[in-house]
Amino acid sequence: SYEQTQPHSVSVALGQTARITCGGNNIGSKKVNWYKQKPGQAPVLVIYRDSSRPSGIPERFSGSNSGNTATLIISRAQAGDEADYYCQVWDSSTVVFGGGTKLTVL
Amino acid sequence: QITLKESGPTLVKPTQTLTLTCTFSGFSLSTSGVGVGWIRQPPGKALEWLALIYWNDDKRYSPSLKSRLTITKDTSKNQVVLTMTNMDPVDTATYYCAHRPPVDVFDIWGQGTMVTVSS
C-alpha cells in the first residue's frame, strides 16, 4: 500500500516561511491535499489538488507537488499557524494520510 | 452550509461491535460524485482513513481494516453508519466523518466523537 513520509516536526520563526514536505513514490503523479489540525479540533482543509486553496484560507498558504515530494508552504508564519499538518492522497481508490508534522512558530 | 455530526457510544467493551452514525445537512448523498468518509485518530497519533461511501452506493475500505468494517447510507435520513466489529483497546480513538465533494478531498469534517474501548 502507498505510504507518505512527513517530518515529525518543523520550526519556523514568526514572519518567516515554513515548508512542510510529504514524500512518496512518484507522489507528483497524484493529487495531494493538506489539512491543518489544532489540538482538540477537527482537521481543516487548507490546500487541495496540490495547490488550490479553499475559500477562507489565506493566500499565505500554498502548495507544490513534483517528483517524489509534495510541499506545503506557509508564508509570513503567524502564531495561529502552529498546528499539526497532514498530507493526504487517493491511491487505488483508497485514502492515505501521512503521519503528520507538528509546526512550531518561534 | 454543510455540517456533519458523529454520534455513538463513548465506551465499548473489547470484542463488542461499534456502531457510529454520521448525520449531515447541507448536501445530498444522492448527488453525483458526493461521498462521506470516516477517519479516526488515536490519542496523540495520526489520522487514519477507515471507509468511504459514494452517492451511487460504491463503498471503499481501508485494506488493513476491511474485514471489520461496514459502511451504509440512508439517503432519506441524511445519515451514514459505520460498524466496526471485534473492538480492541487499540481502537480507542476520535472518530470523524467528513464530506467528500465531487473531487478527491474531504472538505468539511464533523467535530468528531471519542470512543474508548475498555472492559
Side-chain angles (χ1 to χ4, degrees):
Chain A
S1 61
Y2 194 79
E3 292 184 0
Q4 298 117 262
T5 301
Q6 296 184 239
H8 290 296
S9 62
V10 169
S11 298
V12 62
L14 189 68
Q16 297 304 301
T17 298
R19 291 176 175 81
I20 299 173
T21 59
C22 177
N25 184 32
N26 198 25
I27 198 170
S29 67
K30 303 181 184 299
K31 295 300 182 185
V32 179
N33 305 315
W34 291 92
Y35 303 87
K36 172 185 179 181
Q37 186 182 35
K38 291 191 170 184
Q41 297 183 15
V44 172
L45 179 68
V46 293
I47 291 291
Y48 67 100
R49 295 178 68 82
D50 295 341
S51 58
S52 296
R53 271 181 295 104
S55 60
I57 299 301
E59 292 183 7
R60 301 185 298 104
F61 287 80
S62 62
S64 66
N65 185 17
S66 179
N68 294 320
T69 305
T71 304
L72 174 68
I73 303 156
I74 306 172
S75 304
R76 301 182 299 282
Q78 301 177 358
D81 298 333
E82 194 162 282
D84 294 327
Y85 290 84
Y86 294 90
C87 61
Q88 175 255 310
V89 300
W90 249 261
D91 177 68
S92 300
S93 299
T94 64
V95 177
V96 185
F97 286 94
T101 297
K102 180 176 178 58
L103 178 68
T104 300
V105 180
L106 304 172
Chain B
Q1 178 191 3
I2 291 173
T3 64
L4 305 98
K5 187 172 184 179
E6 306 86 353
S7 60
T10 58
L11 179 65
V12 297
K13 290 180 168 46
T15 75
Q16 287 186 335
T17 294
L18 172 68
T19 299
L20 294 173
T21 300
C22 176
T23 303
F24 56 86
S25 63
F27 69 96
S28 172
L29 201 38
S30 60
T31 299
S32 180
V34 171
V36 171
W38 284 94
I39 303 100
R40 72 178 178 179
Q41 185 174 38
K45 296 189 176 182
L47 300 170
E48 179 184 20
W49 173 71
L50 301 176
L52 175 61
I53 190 165
Y54 291 94
W55 84 103
N56 59 358
D57 210 37
D58 187 17
K59 302 166 186 176
R60 304 291 174 176
Y61 296 101
S62 165
S64 62
L65 293 167
K66 184 175 183 177
S67 64
R68 299 174 54 204
L69 296 172
T70 302
I71 190 169
T72 60
K73 63 180 175 71
D74 187 328
T75 304
S76 64
K77 292 183 178 179
N78 282 352
Q79 290 182 334
V80 172
V81 175
L82 180 76
T83 61
M84 179 180 292
T85 62
N86 194 24
M87 293 293 285
D88 183 271
V90 299
D91 296 314
T92 294
T94 297
Y95 287 75
Y96 298 98
C97 61
H99 172 255
R100 187 261 190 201
V103 291
D104 284 338
V105 67
F106 293 121
D107 62 345
I108 306 294
W109 294 58
Q111 65 188 21
T113 186
M114 178 66 191
V115 177
T116 300
V117 184
S118 175
S119 55

